[in-house]
Amino acid sequence: MIGLSYFSIPLAIAALVRRRPDLQYGWVAYLFVAFILACGTTHLLAILTLWVPAYGVEGLIKLVTAVLSVATAAILWPLLPRVAALPSAAQLEHLNLRLRDSEAEARLSNLELERRVAERTEQLERANAQLTKALAERSQAQQALARNEAEYRASFEAAAVGKIQTDPLTGRYIRVNRAFAQMLGYEPEELIGKDGWSFTWPDDRDDGREGFARLLSGEVSTYHREKRYLRRDGQPVWGRLSGSIVRDPDTNEPLLSVGVVEDIDERRKAQAALEETRRDLEAMVEARTTALAQRDLLLREVYHRVKNNLQVVDSLLVMQARQLADATAKAALLGLRSRVYALGLVHHQLMGSANLSTFDVAPFLQELSTNVVEGGADQDIALNVEAIPLEVGLDFAIPLGLLVTELVTNALKHAFPAGPGTIDVLLERGADGRIALIVADNGVGYAADDALGDGVAAGLGASIIKGLVSQMGGVMSVTANNGTRCEIRLASPVAS
């Protein structure tokens, strides 16, 4: 009966623990179950030993029972304060009431919380809508930024001129495009991280640093300079650099320096070659000017000597004429003297001209005609000379002067046998652009054949006139009406 009771009690305890899984320290009950079962087993073995001497098994069961009892006691006493601290039924009922009150408060709080959650949800939905809109705008901005970055990268890399980005404080290259790298004979990646000043020609570095320091300090907003860069092969290459600084908008601190480098090496070389050519030309011009000055001096000397020689000839003619008794021979020498004077006067005019090649024919005709009239007229002869300004050279002036000399001399010989008169010497330009030389008088007139050199008794003067007109490609006409009018139409001279 005792053994069966011992087996019944732990089964009831185990059933209780299984039905009340909420019991705290339920595992202690299982320890009691094991202890009581061991005790019941010892009672059953006491019955067995009445007939069978199984004392070893009984001792072993008692040993297990002793271990379980000691363990149960060792665990139970320390656990006793905790079990005693468990709330009683009254306390649990009180706590239950408080719990129901708390539940009511919790429901009220829950309602308030739901209201607040609804408000917060609405706020969050509005904020979410704003955030969605902001994210969409940001996405669009990022897409635009990406497009701009792609466009900038494409323009940076594909630019025909050099483009560089450097650290404004260290001067090291951050990014360079292919045009700039090829200008220096490198690949772009070879220049990244290198000191930019090391690629500046040594003689240009100090001035370059000074200008960049002004840009970095904010004294100037842009930097422009033509300078030489150092190529990989050690040769200089000219470039025009335009640079600026990107600054922090809040602190104004320099963040990045950007520059555009234009390859102007060919232009600078062309300028150098042009400058050298200019110096050579200046030297040539100076030499040419010196040569021309010497030539002018020589020409003036030649003209002076020719004039002096003609004056010597004139003096010889005067001396020879004085020794002649024959009036015809004497008149011939005096006529020759007029022609020599015309030649000398041409050289005199050239000697005084600025270019030693041409001179104005108007004062020349005035002086020449006056000399002929004063040297060959015994009576009172009035002279009227009207000539347009006309630059003539030696080839035109000499035959023109001889023509005027012969025509005025003819007028003095034939037009005024007795009494005064007037001789007109005119040089005009016709409507066709040709030059008209007119020598007219108001004397008694003379035969046209004599003037043209076609008469039987044509003299030397008439022959000279005819030859000179032919030489100058002119056409001569003579009219006699209240005097004689000789008109010679000539092609306009071309000044050399």
Side-chain angles (χ1 to χ4, degrees):
M1 292 294 294
I2 294 172
L4 291 176
S5 297
Y6 268 100
F7 275 97
S8 175
I9 291 171
L11 292 176
I13 293 174
L16 176 63
V17 172
R18 289 179 63 86
R19 291 180 182 180
R20 291 292 303 274
D22 60 319
L23 292 176
Q24 293 188 5
Y25 310 110
W27 56 272
V28 177
Y30 286 111
L31 195 60
F32 274 100
V33 169
F35 166 68
I36 296 172
L37 284 175
C39 290
T41 303
T42 58
H43 284 280
L44 291 178
L45 285 175
I47 298 173
L48 178 63
T49 56
L50 292 177
W51 292 276
V52 178
Y55 299 110
V57 175
E58 182 184 13
L60 182 62
I61 295 301
K62 288 185 176 182
L63 176 63
V64 171
T65 303
V67 171
L68 290 174
S69 62
V70 172
T72 302
I75 293 173
L76 181 60
W77 284 102
L79 191 62
L80 186 61
R82 300 181 185 179
V83 174
L86 291 175
S88 64
Q91 290 175 334
L92 290 175
E93 183 64 22
H94 178 69
L95 290 175
N96 191 35
L97 291 175
R98 290 182 62 185
L99 181 61
R100 283 196 295 270
D101 293 340
S102 298
E103 287 179 353
E105 294 177 356
R107 281 194 295 271
L108 293 176
S109 300
N110 188 46
L111 292 175
E112 177 66 18
L113 181 60
E114 288 180 353
R115 184 185 64 80
R116 292 182 180 182
V117 167
E119 292 178 354
R120 185 60 176 168
T121 301
E122 184 180 358
Q123 294 176 355
L124 290 175
E125 287 177 351
R126 289 197 300 269
N128 186 53
Q130 295 175 353
L131 180 60
T132 301
K133 181 179 179 181
L135 289 175
E137 293 175 351
R138 179 182 178 185
S139 177
Q140 294 176 354
Q142 287 177 340
Q143 292 176 359
L145 181 62
R147 286 196 300 270
N148 292 337
E149 173 66 19
E151 292 173 358
Y152 174 77
R153 185 181 299 108
S155 65
F156 185 91
E157 297 297 337
V161 297
K163 289 189 174 183
I164 58 175
Q165 294 179 355
T166 60
D167 187 316
L169 300 180
T170 64
R172 296 187 179 277
Y173 290 128
I174 298 175
R175 175 190 281 183
V176 301
N177 69 346
R178 182 164 296 278
F180 177 75
Q182 290 180 347
M183 174 180 163
L184 301 186
Y186 293 89
E187 291 297 324
E189 56 273 11
E190 293 182 279
L191 298 179
I192 303 304
K194 299 294 181 62
D195 182 9
W197 292 111
S198 64
F199 295 96
T200 298
W201 191 254
D203 293 343
D204 295 347
R205 288 175 187 170
D206 291 341
D207 292 342
R209 289 181 185 274
E210 181 180 350
F212 186 77
R214 296 176 59 199
L215 176 66
L216 194 60
S217 66
E219 183 179 348
V220 295
S221 59
T222 56
Y223 175 73
H224 301 284
R225 188 166 186 270
E226 291 185 359
K227 67 173 186 176
R228 289 167 293 180
Y229 287 88
L230 181 63
R231 285 179 51 85
R232 181 194 285 269
D233 57 9
Q235 297 299 315
V237 57
W238 279 96
R240 175 176 173 80
L241 172 62
S242 299
S244 59
I245 296 291
V246 179
R247 299 181 181 274
D248 188 295
D250 297 326
T251 64
N252 203 38
E253 291 296 322
L255 301 177
L256 182 71
S257 62
V258 295
V260 176
V261 182
E262 179 186 0
D263 187 347
I264 60 170
D265 193 59
E266 293 298 328
R267 177 171 67 82
R268 289 299 296 242
K269 288 180 179 178
Q271 286 180 344
L274 183 62
E275 181 65 22
E276 184 177 356
T277 302
R278 184 186 65 80
R279 290 194 296 267
D280 293 342
L281 286 176
E282 287 179 351
M284 293 174 62
V285 168
E286 184 177 357
R288 182 68 173 172
T289 302
T290 303
L292 288 176
Q294 294 175 351
R295 189 209 67 169
D296 290 349
L297 181 61
L298 180 61
L299 282 176
R300 293 185 192 278
E301 181 65 22
V302 169
Y303 291 149
H304 181 68
R305 289 180 180 273
V306 170
K307 186 190 73 166
N308 289 344
N309 291 336
L310 291 175
Q311 287 179 344
V312 172
V313 172
D314 180 72
S315 300
L316 293 174
L317 290 174
V318 172
M319 293 173 60
Q320 186 66 40
R322 290 176 181 172
Q323 296 178 0
L324 293 175
D326 188 348
T328 302
K330 186 173 183 178
L333 288 178
L334 293 177
L336 180 58
R337 183 188 175 197
S338 298
R339 299 179 185 110
V340 170
Y341 179 81
L343 297 176
L345 186 59
V346 169
H347 286 83
H348 178 73
Q349 294 291 334
L350 286 173
M351 185 178 65
S353 69
N355 57 15
L356 296 175
S357 298
T358 61
F359 60 89
D360 187 4
V361 77
F364 166 72
L365 292 181
Q366 178 69 49
E367 185 174 352
L368 177 64
S369 301
T370 301
N371 180 75
V372 174
V373 171
E374 289 179 351
D378 296 331
Q379 60 274 28
D380 186 10
I381 303 300
L383 176 66
N384 178 38
V385 179
E386 295 181 9
I388 60 172
L390 181 66
E391 291 290 320
V392 298
L394 188 66
D395 294 339
F396 189 88
I398 287 179
L400 181 67
L402 293 175
L403 274 175
V404 171
T405 299
E406 296 301 327
L407 292 174
V408 172
T409 300
N410 279 348
L412 292 175
K413 285 182 180 179
H414 303 291
F416 312 109
T422 301
I423 298 177
D424 295 321
V425 178
L426 308 176
L427 188 69
E428 303 172 344
R429 187 182 295 277
D432 57 356
R434 294 172 68 84
I435 301 299
L437 173 64
I438 302 169
V439 178
D441 63 73
N442 60 354
V444 298
Y446 54 94
D449 289 343
D450 292 338
L452 293 172
D454 294 332
V456 176
L460 177 61
S463 298
I464 292 175
I465 292 173
K466 183 177 180 180
L468 291 172
V469 171
S470 176
Q471 175 185 338
M472 301 180 72
V475 177
M476 179 177 177
S477 62
V478 181
T479 58
N481 184 12
N482 295 326
T484 301
R485 175 185 173 91
C486 295
E487 181 174 347
I488 304 173
R489 302 189 67 81
L490 306 167
S492 181
V494 178
S496 59

